[in-house]
Amino acid sequence: MISYEIDEAVEQSLVTKSFKGFKLKKFPNLTKWTNCTLLNFSHNPLEDFQGLQSLPNLKDLYLDNTKISSFVGAPELPSLQTISIKSTPLNAYKKADIMCAIAFGTQLVFINGEEIKRDKLRFARQNRDTLLPFLRDGWLLTS
């Protein structure tokens, strides 16, 4: 029998990691994937961002078909450019794009595959300091 174990050093150097469909109810410990640039947590029953660590190199985050309904626990993700929250309770809100830009920063470029409009990024930039604590406490922008 041949064993195909991945060397730990090789696994840590992976730039993409998928947990799609793993039935995760909370985010796993990602400390060994700090170099990761893409994470996929789609099709998991995750309800919020609690447990997701701040990953300085993360550029793409996929959370489609999860139960995420708020930004509770949302970490700083300073390199995040793309987030996808299709088919989530959070995406049902008209201002999901603005809330994502406030929660994760105005370096964000795409939400659900669409470019965030400049006026929405400007609003997020101007109001981030005031609104971020509320979003992280579970509040949402509804109008």
Side-chain angles (χ1 to χ4, degrees):
M1 180 178 222
I2 300 173
S3 175
Y4 291 100
E5 289 186 32
I6 297 176
D7 180 279
E8 191 171 325
V10 172
E11 186 176 20
Q12 289 176 13
S13 70
L14 293 175
V15 292
T16 65
K17 185 74 177 157
S18 179
F19 295 92
K20 185 177 180 179
F22 279 30
K23 298 180 181 164
L24 299 173
K25 291 184 179 178
K26 61 181 184 173
F27 287 96
N29 185 333
L30 300 169
T31 53
K32 65 180 177 178
W33 291 296
T34 57
N35 292 326
C36 206
T37 59
L38 185 150
L39 283 172
N40 188 342
F41 288 101
S42 297
H43 298 277
N44 282 290
L46 298 163
E47 295 182 0
D48 57 37
F49 292 93
Q50 288 185 329
L52 181 61
Q53 291 117 310
S54 180
L55 300 166
N57 299 307
L58 188 63
K59 292 182 181 181
D60 303 287
L61 181 60
Y62 294 88
L63 300 160
D64 302 329
N65 296 292
T66 62
K67 294 180 180 182
I68 291 180
S69 60
S70 75
F71 292 94
V72 171
E76 290 293 326
L77 298 171
S79 298
L80 193 67
Q81 296 175 356
T82 300
I83 189 168
S84 188
I85 55 170
K86 294 176 187 173
S87 299
T88 67
L90 194 55
N91 194 48
Y93 291 93
K94 193 172 170 181
K95 300 194 182 305
D97 50 0
I98 293 173
M99 290 188 286
C100 283
I102 292 169
F104 298 110
T106 55
Q107 79 288 344
L108 200 61
V109 179
F110 298 100
I111 178 170
N112 300 332
E114 294 185 24
E115 191 168 355
I116 302 172
K117 306 233 181 304
R118 285 186 185 182
D119 60 326
K120 292 182 177 188
L121 285 173
R122 185 173 34 255
F123 177 88
R125 190 176 303 110
Q126 291 170 344
N127 295 285
R128 187 171 197 251
D129 290 341
T130 302
L131 296 176
L132 182 59
F134 289 101
L135 289 178
R136 288 190 174 153
D137 277 344
W139 292 68
L140 298 166
L141 300 179
T142 57
S143 61

Short mmCIF file of all heavy atoms in Angstrom, two decimals, residues 71 96-108 116 120-121 124-125 128:
data_model
loop_
_atom_site.label_atom_id
_atom_site.label_comp_id
_atom_site.label_asym_id
_atom_site.label_seq_id
_atom_site.Cartn_x
_atom_site.Cartn_y
_atom_site.Cartn_z
N PHE A 71 -21.78 40.03 10.81
CA PHE A 71 -20.33 40.20 10.80
C PHE A 71 -19.72 39.99 12.19
O PHE A 71 -18.60 40.41 12.43
CB PHE A 71 -19.96 41.58 10.25
CG PHE A 71 -20.28 41.72 8.79
CD1 PHE A 71 -21.47 42.27 8.37
CD2 PHE A 71 -19.39 41.26 7.83
CE1 PHE A 71 -21.77 42.37 7.03
CE2 PHE A 71 -19.68 41.35 6.48
CZ PHE A 71 -20.88 41.91 6.08
N ALA A 96 -25.31 44.73 1.42
CA ALA A 96 -24.29 43.73 1.76
C ALA A 96 -22.91 44.15 1.28
O ALA A 96 -21.91 43.94 1.97
CB ALA A 96 -24.67 42.37 1.18
N ASP A 97 -22.85 44.77 0.10
CA ASP A 97 -21.55 45.19 -0.44
C ASP A 97 -20.90 46.27 0.44
O ASP A 97 -19.72 46.19 0.75
CB ASP A 97 -21.66 45.66 -1.89
CG ASP A 97 -22.78 46.68 -2.12
OD1 ASP A 97 -23.50 47.04 -1.15
OD2 ASP A 97 -22.93 47.11 -3.28
N ILE A 98 -21.69 47.24 0.89
CA ILE A 98 -21.17 48.29 1.76
C ILE A 98 -20.73 47.70 3.09
O ILE A 98 -19.66 48.03 3.61
CB ILE A 98 -22.21 49.41 1.98
CG1 ILE A 98 -22.47 50.16 0.66
CG2 ILE A 98 -21.77 50.37 3.07
CD1 ILE A 98 -23.60 51.16 0.72
N MET A 99 -21.55 46.80 3.64
CA MET A 99 -21.21 46.19 4.92
C MET A 99 -19.92 45.38 4.81
O MET A 99 -19.08 45.42 5.72
CB MET A 99 -22.36 45.32 5.43
CG MET A 99 -23.57 46.13 5.86
SD MET A 99 -24.86 45.15 6.67
CE MET A 99 -25.56 44.25 5.29
N CYS A 100 -19.73 44.67 3.71
CA CYS A 100 -18.48 43.92 3.52
C CYS A 100 -17.28 44.85 3.45
O CYS A 100 -16.23 44.58 4.03
CB CYS A 100 -18.56 43.06 2.25
SG CYS A 100 -19.55 41.57 2.43
N ALA A 101 -17.44 45.97 2.74
CA ALA A 101 -16.34 46.93 2.64
C ALA A 101 -16.02 47.57 3.99
O ALA A 101 -14.86 47.84 4.28
CB ALA A 101 -16.68 48.01 1.60
N ILE A 102 -17.03 47.78 4.81
CA ILE A 102 -16.79 48.32 6.15
C ILE A 102 -16.12 47.25 7.01
O ILE A 102 -15.14 47.51 7.69
CB ILE A 102 -18.10 48.81 6.80
CG1 ILE A 102 -18.61 50.06 6.06
CG2 ILE A 102 -17.89 49.11 8.27
CD1 ILE A 102 -20.02 50.48 6.44
N ALA A 103 -16.65 46.04 6.97
CA ALA A 103 -16.15 44.97 7.84
C ALA A 103 -14.73 44.54 7.49
O ALA A 103 -13.93 44.27 8.38
CB ALA A 103 -17.09 43.77 7.77
N PHE A 104 -14.41 44.48 6.20
CA PHE A 104 -13.11 43.92 5.79
C PHE A 104 -12.16 44.94 5.19
O PHE A 104 -11.00 44.63 4.93
CB PHE A 104 -13.33 42.76 4.82
CG PHE A 104 -14.09 41.64 5.46
CD1 PHE A 104 -15.37 41.35 5.07
CD2 PHE A 104 -13.52 40.90 6.48
CE1 PHE A 104 -16.08 40.32 5.67
CE2 PHE A 104 -14.21 39.87 7.10
CZ PHE A 104 -15.50 39.58 6.69
N GLY A 105 -12.62 46.15 4.94
CA GLY A 105 -11.75 47.21 4.44
C GLY A 105 -12.06 47.60 3.02
O GLY A 105 -12.58 46.81 2.22
N THR A 106 -11.72 48.83 2.69
CA THR A 106 -12.05 49.38 1.37
C THR A 106 -11.05 48.98 0.29
O THR A 106 -11.14 49.45 -0.83
CB THR A 106 -12.19 50.91 1.44
OG1 THR A 106 -11.01 51.46 2.00
CG2 THR A 106 -13.39 51.30 2.29
N GLN A 107 -10.11 48.08 0.62
CA GLN A 107 -9.27 47.48 -0.41
C GLN A 107 -10.06 46.41 -1.16
O GLN A 107 -9.65 45.92 -2.20
CB GLN A 107 -7.98 46.90 0.18
CG GLN A 107 -8.12 45.54 0.85
CD GLN A 107 -8.87 45.56 2.19
OE1 GLN A 107 -9.04 46.61 2.79
NE2 GLN A 107 -9.30 44.40 2.66
N LEU A 108 -11.24 46.04 -0.60
CA LEU A 108 -12.12 45.06 -1.22
C LEU A 108 -12.55 45.57 -2.59
O LEU A 108 -12.93 46.74 -2.74
CB LEU A 108 -13.33 44.85 -0.32
CG LEU A 108 -14.15 43.59 -0.49
CD1 LEU A 108 -13.31 42.35 -0.22
CD2 LEU A 108 -15.34 43.60 0.45
N ILE A 116 -17.35 46.41 -6.67
CA ILE A 116 -18.06 47.35 -5.77
C ILE A 116 -17.92 48.75 -6.34
O ILE A 116 -16.83 49.19 -6.69
CB ILE A 116 -17.47 47.29 -4.34
CG1 ILE A 116 -17.55 45.87 -3.79
CG2 ILE A 116 -18.22 48.26 -3.43
CD1 ILE A 116 -16.82 45.70 -2.47
N LYS A 120 -19.97 53.54 -3.19
CA LYS A 120 -20.19 52.66 -2.03
C LYS A 120 -18.89 52.48 -1.24
O LYS A 120 -18.90 52.46 -0.01
CB LYS A 120 -20.75 51.33 -2.48
CG LYS A 120 -22.17 51.47 -3.02
CD LYS A 120 -22.75 50.15 -3.43
CE LYS A 120 -24.19 50.36 -3.89
NZ LYS A 120 -24.88 49.09 -4.11
N LEU A 121 -17.77 52.37 -1.94
CA LEU A 121 -16.48 52.29 -1.26
C LEU A 121 -16.17 53.59 -0.52
O LEU A 121 -15.64 53.57 0.58
CB LEU A 121 -15.36 51.96 -2.25
CG LEU A 121 -15.30 50.52 -2.74
CD1 LEU A 121 -14.26 50.37 -3.84
CD2 LEU A 121 -15.02 49.56 -1.60
N ALA A 124 -18.19 53.62 2.62
CA ALA A 124 -17.59 52.68 3.58
C ALA A 124 -16.35 53.29 4.22
O ALA A 124 -16.15 53.19 5.44
CB ALA A 124 -17.26 51.36 2.89
N ARG A 125 -15.52 53.91 3.41
CA ARG A 125 -14.28 54.53 3.92
C ARG A 125 -14.60 55.65 4.90
O ARG A 125 -14.00 55.76 5.97
CB ARG A 125 -13.46 55.07 2.74
CG ARG A 125 -12.06 55.52 3.09
CD ARG A 125 -11.26 55.94 1.86
NE ARG A 125 -11.16 54.89 0.85
CZ ARG A 125 -11.77 54.92 -0.34
NH1 ARG A 125 -12.52 55.94 -0.69
NH2 ARG A 125 -11.63 53.92 -1.18
N ARG A 128 -16.42 53.92 8.19
CA ARG A 128 -15.91 52.67 8.76
C ARG A 128 -15.66 52.77 10.26
O ARG A 128 -16.07 51.89 11.03
CB ARG A 128 -14.64 52.23 8.04
CG ARG A 128 -14.19 50.84 8.51
CD ARG A 128 -13.06 50.31 7.65
NE ARG A 128 -12.94 48.88 7.85
CZ ARG A 128 -11.95 48.29 8.49
NH1 ARG A 128 -10.95 49.02 8.98
NH2 ARG A 128 -11.93 46.99 8.64
#
